[in-house]
Amino acid sequence: MKAKKFDSMDSFDFKPGSYCFVKAEGRLGVFITLPCGHNFMPDNKWQLENPEDENKITVRPSIFCSPSKPCWHGYLTNGEFKQV
Ligand SMILES: [Zn+2]
């Protein structure tokens, strides 16, 4: 699934695959609605790569969403969500 960038949370649609950069506690963060529909905001255990290139956002390591089972585990690499 291709990630879709929003420029501000004001217009954010909270649909699977959407993301928006946000400033959180002085650092650049990203708010993501995962392909499963849950919202996720990586903390400093994750690394954000290529934030300047909107088609190549990469978040490492993988994202594990587990508020309920089954849910989503996968990667966001170069602007693409890939389930593990
Ligand atoms: Zn989920």
Side-chain angles (χ1 to χ4, degrees):
M1 172 183 273
K2 194 142 180 59
K4 183 182 178 192
K5 186 188 180 194
F6 284 79
D7 290 328
S8 108
M9 288 305 291
D10 295 337
S11 57
F12 197 75
D13 66 357
F14 296 94
K15 288 192 175 144
S18 296
Y19 71 97
C20 182
F21 290 114
V22 290
K23 286 262 188 203
E25 293 164 13
R27 68 183 189 94
L28 184 67
V30 63
F31 188 94
I32 303 169
T33 302
L34 298 171
C36 59
H38 291 113
N39 297 318
F40 175 71
M41 205 169 152
D43 63 19
N44 56 17
K45 292 196 289 288
W46 280 266
Q47 282 192 315
L48 195 55
E49 297 174 16
N50 302 325
E52 69 285 349
D53 185 335
E54 64 184 71
N55 295 313
K56 294 199 168 168
I57 180 177
T58 296
V59 175
R60 293 182 209 279
S62 67
I63 298 164
F64 188 66
C65 184
S66 59
S68 60
K69 288 184 179 178
C71 216
W72 195 82
H73 180 206
Y75 290 88
L76 174 52
T77 307
N78 287 335
E80 192 95 34
F81 290 96
K82 288 205 177 98
Q83 190 157 9
V84 173

